[in-house]
Amino acid sequence: MAQIRQKANISLDVWFEVIDHFLYDRSTLLASALTCSAWLPRARVHLYSSVALYKPETYRLFSRTIAGSPSLGALVKELELDVNTIQFKLWNDPTEADVLFPIEAARNLTGLHSLSLSNDSHHYIHPSVLDFIPRFAIATSLTKLLISDFGGRSPKTIIRILEHFPHIREFSLDGYFSKDDSYDPTETLPSDFCKNLRKLIVSCLQLRPW
């Protein structure tokens, strides 16, 4: 019994250091959150700080949670989205956007710093996805936008996205585009186009039409 009382008297700061040690072990963090109500806030910080969404059901579950809890939304610092999942859901029904990730949820991402978009299918991006991405521009705390394996018919595709994110400071693009003879690289952009941009990383391959 003496040993049990000694464990109960360990300060929360010590337990927090233990929880911090399992920063990347989600199963342990979940167990910690369910074990003790005093541990829950600390475990949540790590559980929500970096979130990756790959399946439609995880999109819906996460967005509903964030929409109903601004305090949890504020904990999200990094968000990674699978473009192929978005594209699959929106291809035939663009209204699914408000089911996958409603504006109310995006509005609660008040602490978001990094948004990462990946397209493992290597297909060209459907226009419905281009209409979906700007809803995250409401998170004005966002400073980093990362786009990988991004296929478009024209570089205008990227310009169309960036027009909604004048506040980002870092932009990274790994993509491929068809040859667009109508695209004029000297075309004048809006005065506030990426006005805060400080770091730019671009790796693109231009492909001719089939």
Side-chain angles (χ1 to χ4, degrees):
M1 292 296 293
Q3 185 178 8
I4 295 177
R5 283 195 298 271
Q6 184 179 7
K7 287 183 178 180
N9 289 329
I10 295 177
S11 71
L12 273 178
D13 289 338
V14 174
W15 287 120
F16 288 165
E17 289 187 16
V18 173
I19 293 172
D20 291 345
H21 180 74
F22 293 98
L23 174 63
Y24 301 108
D25 188 340
R26 296 189 67 82
S27 60
T28 299
L29 291 173
L30 286 169
S32 299
L34 295 172
T35 298
C36 175
S37 60
W39 296 357
L40 178 59
R42 191 69 165 205
R44 275 179 170 172
V45 167
H46 299 310
L47 285 169
Y48 284 90
S49 64
S50 182
V51 177
L53 304 177
Y54 293 101
K55 298 179 180 180
E57 54 268 26
T58 59
Y59 272 83
R60 289 190 288 266
L61 179 60
F62 177 75
S63 62
R64 281 201 301 266
T65 301
I66 296 303
S69 179
S71 61
L72 291 181
L75 296 178
V76 182
K77 308 302 180 187
E78 301 176 353
L79 181 61
E80 180 178 348
L81 305 178
D82 175 45
V83 171
N84 193 43
T85 299
I86 302 170
Q87 189 158 255
F88 176 77
K89 295 298 293 183
L90 303 186
W91 191 287
N92 295 317
D93 186 5
T95 63
E96 277 287 310
D98 289 327
V99 178
L100 280 178
F101 215 104
I103 292 293
E104 292 75 12
R107 184 178 291 112
N108 286 341
L109 297 173
T110 54
L112 187 65
H113 294 320
S114 174
L115 176 63
S116 178
L117 307 168
S118 60
N119 177 31
D120 293 336
S121 69
H122 305 292
H123 293 156
Y124 284 123
I125 301 302
H126 191 266
S128 60
V129 177
L130 301 181
D131 294 331
F132 177 81
I133 295 174
R135 67 183 50 216
F136 294 96
I138 198 171
T140 56
S141 59
L142 185 67
T143 59
K144 183 186 298 186
L145 181 60
L146 312 173
I147 302 179
S148 61
D149 295 318
F150 196 89
R153 300 291 181 184
S154 165
K156 291 179 181 178
T157 303
I158 294 300
I159 293 175
R160 181 179 168 188
I161 293 175
L162 290 178
E163 284 177 338
H164 296 276
F165 295 90
H167 46 282
I168 63 169
R169 299 178 63 84
E170 179 178 340
F171 176 59
S172 177
L173 170 66
D174 173 21
Y176 47 95
F177 302 93
S178 294
K179 187 176 184 300
D180 181 7
D181 293 327
S182 67
Y183 172 64
D184 180 5
T186 64
E187 181 180 343
T188 302
L189 296 172
S191 59
D192 64 343
F193 183 80
C194 292
K195 61 182 180 181
N196 294 314
L197 192 65
R198 298 295 181 270
K199 185 176 182 180
L200 175 65
I201 303 174
V202 178
S203 174
C204 290
L205 173 65
Q206 188 179 69
L207 305 174
R208 291 189 177 275
W210 296 335

